[in-house]
Amino acid sequence: MQMLQYLIVCPLLFLAGFIDAIGGGGGLISIPAYIISGVPVHNAIATNKLSSCMGTGLTTWQYWVNGYIRPKLALLCVAAALVGSPIGAEIALRIDADVFKLLMLVILPVTAFYVLKKKDIGKNEEELSFKKTAVISVAAALIVGMYDGFYGPGTGTFLMLLLTGAAKLDIYTAAGTTKAINLTTNIGSMMIYLLNGKVIFLLGLAAGVFNMAGNFLGARFFRDKGSDIVRPIIMVVLVIFFIKILIEMVG
């Protein structure tokens, strides 16, 4: 059974890492991979944080080396996301998740329509002033941080779309900022799970190596292809997310 877990989880974590490095949303593949292999839900989420931190850490470093991360902007967005996440968690305690899922069944097709219509994601000719960019980016990070605390799947994808569409960041800076936020929030969550003994270390570390390999290749593809590969990857993430919610609602 244990060997079967590795055979199921590791290849899917590679795929999740590849997708996550480009357009976010790798968790839509990685968490189900753990659960399908027989890992209990809470352990699956916790162990996924370990493997995701490994993969996201590598991609963040690659994006830093390539100059995709503006330190001042990234720090402001990270702070906003860290503020938003616990607020979202508090809201989750007061609102039925099914209400939010129904809302997502409307939001996701609208988002997909936007992605299909906008063929030049992240190719913004007019750049806003730093002040405007920072204000919009921080607002986007706060909102997505709240969403992450409330529900979570597709956080990186939504953040990428907001940073390119509203803050007018180029696709590379948006990806770098997104990864900096993802890494920070993942580490924070992982520490909580580690303290509570929910992480399955050997499986998480092995899957993390595969996730790093997927992230590495995904980051290389992203560097070479930019928005040409981002659009189809984001569409795949949105479709998977939509199907996931439908299955949950029917179940």
Side-chain angles (χ1 to χ4, degrees):
M1 178 62 180
Q2 193 176 46
M3 181 57 68
L4 182 61
Q5 283 184 330
Y6 284 85
L7 291 174
I8 293 171
V9 170
C10 289
L12 287 174
L13 264 288
F14 173 85
L15 177 61
F18 182 85
I19 289 175
D20 204 53
I22 299 170
L28 292 168
I29 295 172
S30 59
I31 293 176
Y34 281 108
I35 294 172
I36 289 167
S37 74
V39 178
V41 174
H42 288 99
N43 296 99
I45 296 170
T47 308
N48 181 63
K49 287 297 179 187
L50 173 60
S51 52
S52 293
C53 279
M54 293 170 66
T56 305
L58 176 62
T59 302
T60 304
W61 177 77
Q62 286 178 277
Y63 286 178
W64 172 268
V65 169
N66 289 328
Y68 300 163
I69 299 176
R70 301 181 192 175
K72 189 175 179 180
L73 180 64
L75 284 172
L76 289 171
C77 289
V78 164
L82 290 174
V83 170
S85 186
I87 294 174
E90 285 293 324
I91 294 172
L93 296 174
R94 292 167 170 76
I95 298 177
D96 191 330
D98 285 343
V99 174
F100 187 75
K101 289 174 184 177
L102 285 171
L103 182 61
M104 292 306 294
L105 289 179
V106 177
I107 292 174
L108 287 170
V110 172
T111 305
F113 179 75
Y114 167 79
V115 174
L116 284 172
K117 287 276 288 182
K118 192 170 177 60
K119 293 181 170 56
D120 57 347
I121 291 177
K123 296 179 180 177
N124 298 304
E125 295 181 3
E126 60 170 296
E127 190 170 324
L128 302 176
S129 66
F130 177 78
K131 185 177 180 180
K132 286 183 178 179
T133 299
V135 169
I136 297 171
S137 298
V138 165
L142 180 65
I143 292 167
V144 175
M146 290 171 63
Y147 165 75
D148 192 29
F150 184 88
Y151 191 55
T155 295
T157 303
F158 289 131
L159 192 55
M160 280 273 287
L161 290 173
L162 283 171
L163 291 177
T164 54
K168 303 297 182 185
L169 290 178
D170 65 85
I171 194 72
Y172 297 104
T173 305
T177 305
T178 297
K179 284 302 156 195
I181 292 170
N182 281 348
L183 179 61
T184 307
T185 54
N186 278 345
I187 290 173
S189 300
M190 183 183 68
M191 292 303 170
I192 301 298
Y193 288 122
L194 284 172
L195 290 172
N196 285 278
K198 296 294 184 181
V199 178
I200 303 173
F201 282 99
L202 287 179
L203 180 60
L205 290 171
V209 171
F210 279 80
N211 195 250
M212 289 174 71
N215 269 275
F216 178 79
L217 288 179
R220 294 288 294 270
F221 266 82
F222 176 73
R223 183 194 66 188
D224 297 335
K225 304 292 184 180
S227 62
D228 292 336
I229 193 171
V230 167
R231 285 181 73 248
I233 289 293
I234 287 179
M235 284 302 301
V236 168
V237 170
L238 294 175
V239 170
I240 292 173
F241 193 6
F242 188 81
I243 293 170
K244 176 181 182 292
I245 292 179
L246 277 179
I247 292 172
E248 288 177 355
M249 293 297 289
V250 172

